Amino acid sequence: MEIRYAAPGRINLIGEHTDYNDGYALPIALPQRTTVTYTPDDRDALTVRSDREDGVVTVALHTAPGEITGWAAYVAGVVWALRAAGHPVHGGTMTITSEVEMGSGVASSAALECAVLGALTEATGVRMGPVDLARIAQRAENDYVGAPTGLMDQLASLCGEPGHALLIDFRELTVRPVAFDPDAAGIALLLINSRAPHRHAGGEYAERRRSCERAAAELGVASLRDVQDGGVAVLDRVSDPVAARRARHILTDNNRVLEVVAALKDRDFATVGRLWTASQASMRDDFEITTEHIDLIADTAVEAGALGARMTGGGFGGCVIALVNAARADAVADAVRMAVRTAGHPEPAFIRTRAGAGAQRLG
């Protein structure tokens, strides 16, 4: 029995680093996806190949954190997390192909985790809701791979809907579709890959999370969501100015998520763009996760006529998204390309993209 299962990458329209702070985010699933072809058998190991890597990796079903590193750690982590949750896993052969750009901040790791997870659970008949599946994939990434990420990437990959963004409330763990079809309004959604690798598992991501936890602890709350209604004035009680700035980004980006949802209800893409640009400034100045390269791309896009632009993803490289009147899309891309070339950075890649479907079995 051959099982083919696919899961998409994602971009986050707004709400960065809010997931592990019990806040809000608004991602979309991308059309690009990772596909797993899996033939289960009775062996006690998986033999795994990837179209992007040389060689074969053998993942023992009793694998433990630290045994496998690199790209195959995401596969091994899913095996480990499923078994740790009490679910059966079969051995077999697995081949992975992917259209999702690695290292660019579009959740290639979550796409891989969710595709592997879907294939393995299909083989055993295990049925879980998307939140439970997302938790297993997150545990694989947190505790096996060692990247302290929130649930956004996995939920976006599992729950994506064509023509819709996903309003995720990470306190309530609810996912609500929100109509998002800029093409119908003559607006292009540009995904601009800076070609600067996005290092998701690095210490900077973990340090930002610790800053938020320090601010919450000093405020006497379990998470920053608990002081959301008090506004940024409550942060005057945080003695560490760095932690206060980073907490301010979380509180203000939560508000921007809800404002974008309201603007999308009115198909007001000009307001959405303005909020994206404000989020970019917050990530740059308060949360300090952008780079000079990313800032140049976002700023140039707006100066060239984009309605708004912001980095998407965990930071320190990766991609910028921009909303642009379709008639101006080529001119904006040309301006960004020229500015980046002049600054001596790698040539960026441009994709006009849209919201795609979530994880699913193929065939």
Side-chain angles (χ1 to χ4, degrees), residues 301-316:
V302 173
E303 291 165 5
L307 300 175
R310 67 183 293 276
M311 185 193 71
T312 185
F316 314 105

PDB file of all heavy atoms in Angstrom, residues 301-316:
ATOM      1  N   ALA A 301      10.027  48.620  -1.429  1.00  0.00           N
ATOM      2  CA  ALA A 301       8.727  48.247  -1.981  1.00  0.00           C
ATOM      3  C   ALA A 301       7.682  49.316  -1.704  1.00  0.00           C
ATOM      4  O   ALA A 301       6.912  49.707  -2.602  1.00  0.00           O
ATOM      5  CB  ALA A 301       8.286  46.899  -1.410  1.00  0.00           C
ATOM      6  N   VAL A 302       7.646  49.834  -0.481  1.00  0.00           N
ATOM      7  CA  VAL A 302       6.669  50.874  -0.130  1.00  0.00           C
ATOM      8  C   VAL A 302       6.974  52.165  -0.881  1.00  0.00           C
ATOM      9  O   VAL A 302       6.074  52.822  -1.421  1.00  0.00           O
ATOM     10  CB  VAL A 302       6.648  51.088   1.396  1.00  0.00           C
ATOM     11  CG1 VAL A 302       5.773  52.276   1.759  1.00  0.00           C
ATOM     12  CG2 VAL A 302       6.141  49.816   2.092  1.00  0.00           C
ATOM     13  N   GLU A 303       8.242  52.534  -0.928  1.00  0.00           N
ATOM     14  CA  GLU A 303       8.612  53.762  -1.647  1.00  0.00           C
ATOM     15  C   GLU A 303       8.263  53.681  -3.127  1.00  0.00           C
ATOM     16  O   GLU A 303       7.951  54.696  -3.767  1.00  0.00           O
ATOM     17  CB  GLU A 303      10.116  54.016  -1.478  1.00  0.00           C
ATOM     18  CG  GLU A 303      10.514  54.414  -0.067  1.00  0.00           C
ATOM     19  CD  GLU A 303      12.017  54.297   0.160  1.00  0.00           C
ATOM     20  OE1 GLU A 303      12.741  54.000  -0.820  1.00  0.00           O
ATOM     21  OE2 GLU A 303      12.453  54.495   1.312  1.00  0.00           O
ATOM     22  N   ALA A 304       8.277  52.455  -3.682  1.00  0.00           N
ATOM     23  CA  ALA A 304       7.987  52.275  -5.097  1.00  0.00           C
ATOM     24  C   ALA A 304       6.489  52.139  -5.379  1.00  0.00           C
ATOM     25  O   ALA A 304       6.101  51.987  -6.545  1.00  0.00           O
ATOM     26  CB  ALA A 304       8.719  51.047  -5.626  1.00  0.00           C
ATOM     27  N   GLY A 305       5.665  52.196  -4.346  1.00  0.00           N
ATOM     28  CA  GLY A 305       4.226  52.204  -4.569  1.00  0.00           C
ATOM     29  C   GLY A 305       3.441  51.072  -3.954  1.00  0.00           C
ATOM     30  O   GLY A 305       2.214  51.011  -4.111  1.00  0.00           O
ATOM     31  N   ALA A 306       4.097  50.131  -3.242  1.00  0.00           N
ATOM     32  CA  ALA A 306       3.344  49.072  -2.568  1.00  0.00           C
ATOM     33  C   ALA A 306       2.440  49.676  -1.496  1.00  0.00           C
ATOM     34  O   ALA A 306       2.786  50.684  -0.859  1.00  0.00           O
ATOM     35  CB  ALA A 306       4.292  48.061  -1.936  1.00  0.00           C
ATOM     36  N   LEU A 307       1.279  49.062  -1.292  1.00  0.00           N
ATOM     37  CA  LEU A 307       0.371  49.511  -0.232  1.00  0.00           C
ATOM     38  C   LEU A 307       0.971  49.263   1.143  1.00  0.00           C
ATOM     39  O   LEU A 307       0.645  49.969   2.105  1.00  0.00           O
ATOM     40  CB  LEU A 307      -0.968  48.776  -0.340  1.00  0.00           C
ATOM     41  CG  LEU A 307      -1.738  48.949  -1.652  1.00  0.00           C
ATOM     42  CD1 LEU A 307      -2.983  48.072  -1.652  1.00  0.00           C
ATOM     43  CD2 LEU A 307      -2.109  50.406  -1.874  1.00  0.00           C
ATOM     44  N   GLY A 308       1.825  48.271   1.239  1.00  0.00           N
ATOM     45  CA  GLY A 308       2.491  47.954   2.490  1.00  0.00           C
ATOM     46  C   GLY A 308       3.397  46.766   2.288  1.00  0.00           C
ATOM     47  O   GLY A 308       3.241  46.004   1.321  1.00  0.00           O
ATOM     48  N   ALA A 309       4.357  46.609   3.195  1.00  0.00           N
ATOM     49  CA  ALA A 309       5.294  45.492   3.093  1.00  0.00           C
ATOM     50  C   ALA A 309       5.834  45.180   4.479  1.00  0.00           C
ATOM     51  O   ALA A 309       5.983  46.076   5.322  1.00  0.00           O
ATOM     52  CB  ALA A 309       6.449  45.818   2.147  1.00  0.00           C
ATOM     53  N   ARG A 310       6.120  43.912   4.693  1.00  0.00           N
ATOM     54  CA  ARG A 310       6.676  43.482   5.976  1.00  0.00           C
ATOM     55  C   ARG A 310       7.413  42.163   5.811  1.00  0.00           C
ATOM     56  O   ARG A 310       7.113  41.380   4.903  1.00  0.00           O
ATOM     57  CB  ARG A 310       5.590  43.321   7.045  1.00  0.00           C
ATOM     58  CG  ARG A 310       4.625  42.189   6.770  1.00  0.00           C
ATOM     59  CD  ARG A 310       3.514  42.116   7.818  1.00  0.00           C
ATOM     60  NE  ARG A 310       4.003  41.757   9.123  1.00  0.00           N
ATOM     61  CZ  ARG A 310       4.212  40.507   9.533  1.00  0.00           C
ATOM     62  NH1 ARG A 310       3.998  39.486   8.717  1.00  0.00           N
ATOM     63  NH2 ARG A 310       4.640  40.273  10.752  1.00  0.00           N
ATOM     64  N   MET A 311       8.374  41.944   6.684  1.00  0.00           N
ATOM     65  CA  MET A 311       8.997  40.632   6.769  1.00  0.00           C
ATOM     66  C   MET A 311       7.967  39.628   7.250  1.00  0.00           C
ATOM     67  O   MET A 311       7.073  39.956   8.030  1.00  0.00           O
ATOM     68  CB  MET A 311      10.160  40.677   7.749  1.00  0.00           C
ATOM     69  CG  MET A 311      10.970  39.397   7.836  1.00  0.00           C
ATOM     70  SD  MET A 311      12.056  39.419   9.281  1.00  0.00           S
ATOM     71  CE  MET A 311      10.835  39.258  10.595  1.00  0.00           C
ATOM     72  N   THR A 312       8.070  38.389   6.798  1.00  0.00           N
ATOM     73  CA  THR A 312       7.213  37.325   7.299  1.00  0.00           C
ATOM     74  C   THR A 312       8.085  36.191   7.804  1.00  0.00           C
ATOM     75  O   THR A 312       9.122  35.882   7.216  1.00  0.00           O
ATOM     76  CB  THR A 312       6.240  36.833   6.208  1.00  0.00           C
ATOM     77  OG1 THR A 312       5.346  35.864   6.777  1.00  0.00           O
ATOM     78  CG2 THR A 312       6.962  36.233   5.018  1.00  0.00           C
ATOM     79  N   GLY A 313       7.701  35.598   8.913  1.00  0.00           N
ATOM     80  CA  GLY A 313       8.486  34.513   9.486  1.00  0.00           C
ATOM     81  C   GLY A 313       9.222  34.943  10.736  1.00  0.00           C
ATOM     82  O   GLY A 313       9.102  36.082  11.196  1.00  0.00           O
ATOM     83  N   GLY A 314       9.999  34.019  11.285  1.00  0.00           N
ATOM     84  CA  GLY A 314      10.633  34.242  12.584  1.00  0.00           C
ATOM     85  C   GLY A 314      11.703  35.298  12.617  1.00  0.00           C
ATOM     86  O   GLY A 314      12.057  35.798  13.676  1.00  0.00           O
ATOM     87  N   GLY A 315      12.251  35.668  11.445  1.00  0.00           N
ATOM     88  CA  GLY A 315      13.192  36.773  11.409  1.00  0.00           C
ATOM     89  C   GLY A 315      14.597  36.387  11.012  1.00  0.00           C
ATOM     90  O   GLY A 315      14.889  35.226  10.730  1.00  0.00           O
ATOM     91  N   PHE A 316      15.467  37.421  10.959  1.00  0.00           N
ATOM     92  CA  PHE A 316      16.898  37.261  10.676  1.00  0.00           C
ATOM     93  C   PHE A 316      17.135  36.679   9.284  1.00  0.00           C
ATOM     94  O   PHE A 316      18.002  35.834   9.075  1.00  0.00           O
ATOM     95  CB  PHE A 316      17.553  36.394  11.757  1.00  0.00           C
ATOM     96  CG  PHE A 316      17.162  36.798  13.155  1.00  0.00           C
ATOM     97  CD1 PHE A 316      16.260  36.052  13.890  1.00  0.00           C
ATOM     98  CD2 PHE A 316      17.674  37.947  13.701  1.00  0.00           C
ATOM     99  CE1 PHE A 316      15.878  36.435  15.164  1.00  0.00           C
ATOM    100  CE2 PHE A 316      17.304  38.341  14.987  1.00  0.00           C
ATOM    101  CZ  PHE A 316      16.411  37.590  15.708  1.00  0.00           C
TER     102      PHE A 316
END
